[in-house]
Amino acid sequence: MRQDYFKDKTALITGSSRGIGSAIARKLALAGADIALNYRKAGGASQEQGEQLCKEIEGIGRRAFLIQADISSKESVKSLIKETKERCGRLDFLILNAARAPFKPLERLLERELRQLVDTNYIGNIFCIQEALPLLEESGGKIVFISSLGSRFYNPSYPLGSMKAAMESVVRDSAESLKDRGITVNGVCGGIVKTDSFKVLRQYIEEIELMPEEMVMEPEEIADTVVFLCSPDSRGIRGQTIVVDRGLSSRLFRPPKKS
Ligand SMILES: NC(=O)c1ccc[n+]([C@@H]2O[C@H](COP(=O)([O-])OP(=O)(O)OC[C@H]3O[C@@H](n4cnc5c(N)ncnc54)[C@H](OP(=O)(O)O)[C@@H]3O)[C@@H](O)[C@H]2O)c1
């Protein structure tokens, strides 16, 4: 890979004020890209963390912009992409990272929760792809979706898993349908990662307590694979969702024991 490949390129990472999204933003900035950060809830901790991260990225010499937008709203996504274009001038990498879902069985979801689940985690991601297309076509850009093991394995309190599975199909399908427009689409399916949502997850998935500490991942491990998928080194990979889980999914039928 050319040393300066990421220089003067721009990445938009949805839901990047904290957690895995912020690790992806840092890694892409360190690689040389300018960054459009996004969060949903104005006036809260997320906004504060996003502002802090903006300063941190500027500190390493890259441009960074923080844009509030709720990806579940078409209008909001339109203004997210418009602002990205106005501020950055281009878009090379669209990282679909934002997610929001209740932890409870599908059959107990209230109508409002079910709609929010689909609106944010499926429709919202597709809004982002649709609106970013002209910019990505111009740059020959890449889309990377962040999935989780819930796409492949059942957990009673994780309705988000079915949306992740649907999106992994979108990764496969859009990789084909967008190929002729010069756009590459792939995904990263993460194991259990230490973030704010991990703290909530452990209250609902008791098996997590049985997991040895070394199976719990750092956000940077997901971020490194995202940077790889954004780089020309991944040119042979299209329409794939790569599992990055420290081998956890290989052990699912042999529950790991704490030492
Ligand atoms: N943590 C894990 O163990 C794990 C494992 C595998 C995959 N993943 C996936 O990795 C991604 C990031 O997970 P995380 O644990 O880092 O999440 P997190 O700590 O809960 O952060 C989620 C981020 O998404 C934003 N967001 C939520 N809804 C949004 C919306 N409608 N529009 C725009 N932004 C929105 C949040 O902003 P606000 O704070 O403003 O809402 C926040 O910045 C998710 O797709 C998740 O499913 C996580």
Side-chain angles (χ1 to χ4, degrees):
M1 181 177 73
R2 249 186 27 232
Q3 196 75 36
D4 60 352
Y5 171 77
F6 284 96
K7 192 169 175 289
D8 299 327
K9 292 192 166 59
T10 295
L12 165 62
I13 304 117
T14 64
S16 45
S17 57
R18 58 196 166 97
I20 294 170
S22 66
I24 295 169
R26 272 191 200 92
K27 289 269 180 184
L28 283 169
L30 283 169
D34 293 330
I35 306 291
L37 298 165
N38 156 249
Y39 68 104
R40 177 187 59 92
K41 196 163 176 258
S46 234
Q47 181 174 347
E48 238 172 73
Q49 285 168 292
E51 285 164 356
Q52 203 48 46
L53 182 56
C54 250
K55 286 189 196 136
E56 194 185 316
I57 291 171
E58 284 163 358
I60 56 174
R62 306 314 322 165
R63 296 189 306 154
F65 308 97
L66 178 63
I67 308 170
Q68 188 282 325
D70 183 338
I71 62 159
S72 67
S73 146
K74 178 101 174 162
E75 283 316 304
S76 197
V77 171
K78 274 181 192 276
S79 65
L80 171 64
I81 302 298
K82 184 166 174 272
E83 211 175 323
T84 303
K85 186 180 179 188
E86 281 166 5
R87 290 178 166 210
C88 308
R90 60 183 290 142
L91 180 63
D92 300 273
F93 312 114
L94 170 65
I95 315 299
L96 300 170
N97 169 79
R100 186 166 169 241
F103 289 97
K104 54 154 86 167
L106 273 170
E107 62 273 17
R108 288 198 1 233
L109 289 178
L110 304 174
E111 181 178 345
R112 135 182 88 71
E113 292 171 323
L114 182 55
R115 290 193 188 283
Q116 185 227 83
L117 179 77
V118 181
D119 284 350
T120 301
N121 305 292
Y122 182 73
I123 297 176
N125 282 321
I126 295 177
F127 284 158
C128 290
I129 295 174
Q130 289 175 336
E131 292 303 318
L133 274 186
L135 288 176
L136 291 172
E137 195 167 2
E138 222 168 275
S139 63
K142 296 174 196 262
I143 299 172
V144 182
F145 169 67
I146 309 302
S147 190
S148 69
L149 290 179
S151 66
R152 296 141 199 242
F153 299 99
Y154 167 70
N155 185 282
S157 305
Y158 195 74
L160 181 56
S162 56
M163 296 297 100
K164 296 294 191 187
M167 280 304 301
E168 289 189 17
S169 298
V170 170
V171 166
R172 182 201 59 218
D173 294 352
S174 56
E176 279 303 302
S177 63
L178 301 178
K179 189 165 62 182
D180 292 343
R181 297 167 79 168
I183 299 168
T184 309
V185 189
N186 283 301
V188 178
C189 177
I192 305 287
V193 188
K194 255 182 237 159
T195 65
D196 292 345
S197 63
F198 169 67
K199 289 176 206 151
V200 186
L201 204 67
R202 68 192 312 168
Q203 294 168 24
Y204 293 92
I205 305 179
E206 54 196 35
E207 292 86 354
I208 286 182
E209 295 305 331
L210 297 172
M211 273 175 50
E213 186 63 24
E214 76 263 16
M215 299 306 284
V216 181
M217 307 178 68
E218 299 297 334
E220 289 71 22
E221 293 170 79
I222 306 293
D224 281 334
T225 311
V226 173
V227 174
F228 165 69
L229 287 174
C230 290
S231 81
D233 291 346
S234 66
R235 63 194 174 281
I237 306 174
R238 265 178 197 269
Q240 301 301 315
T241 300
I242 300 175
V243 176
V244 180
D245 69 349
R246 292 198 187 181
L248 177 64
S249 54
S250 311
R251 301 177 55 152
L252 283 181
F253 293 104
R254 187 170 61 83
K257 300 231 162 19
K258 260 196 166 146
S259 53

